[in-house]
Amino acid sequence: MAFGSLPHPSPLKNLISRILGFPNLIRRLQVPTIMKILDARPTDMILDAGCGYGHFAYEISRRARFAIGCDWQLSPRLGFVINRTRPLAFTACDVHKLPFIKSSFDKILLSSVIQTVTNKNALI
């Protein structure tokens, strides 16, 4: 599968997404750089806080032991994505009140999220 494209239940839309990256071309173009910086390893547990449609979480799940994507509102399309054979889960939550025990993750990705966080101390 092409990097940065999410599987789609419709074969035609899946093909278009794989070729063009539509409708999230920007995310698709960011994937190689983000993944290089994140340096996900096969033993890592990684949280994608503010995952949106789950592009990065999906890519992380291809490299890490387990990936969790969280966002305040999850896309119904993510149900199809997690039904794939990937170590991947999604949860609806606010990054200010993450429902995880501290130090649960080896790495946390906050892509296009940090500017919306009002209480930076909540992320520590």
Side-chain angles (χ1 to χ4, degrees):
M1 179 180 302
F3 63 87
S5 63
L6 292 174
H8 196 281
S10 161
L12 178 61
K13 288 184 179 181
N14 191 42
L15 178 64
I16 292 169
S17 176
R18 288 178 61 172
I19 294 170
L20 302 175
F22 179 80
N24 295 292
L25 181 59
I26 300 299
R27 289 280 183 232
R28 183 175 181 192
L29 295 173
Q30 291 174 330
V31 165
T33 303
I34 296 289
M35 291 303 114
K36 184 176 179 179
I37 293 168
L38 188 61
D39 189 30
R41 299 177 188 249
T43 57
D44 287 343
M45 290 276 297
I46 301 176
L47 173 66
D48 180 4
C51 67
Y53 285 100
H55 287 86
F56 295 141
Y58 186 78
E59 288 297 321
I60 291 166
S61 73
R62 296 172 72 184
R63 296 162 172 83
R65 179 169 49 115
F66 199 82
I68 296 180
C70 71
D71 210 309
W72 67 277
Q73 185 177 10
L74 295 178
S75 166
R77 186 169 163 212
L78 292 177
F80 178 76
V81 174
I82 61 175
N83 288 331
R84 313 299 276 184
T85 55
R86 297 263 182 248
L88 175 63
F90 291 95
T91 185
C93 65
D94 184 340
V95 295
H96 294 97
K97 301 173 190 160
L98 293 173
F100 308 108
I101 298 169
K102 286 193 183 274
S103 302
S104 295
F105 300 96
D106 298 300
K107 298 173 184 169
I108 299 175
L109 175 64
L110 290 157
S111 175
S112 302
V113 173
I114 199 74
Q115 68 275 14
T116 65
V117 175
T118 55
N119 180 4
K120 307 290 194 259
N121 290 328
L123 299 176
I124 299 175

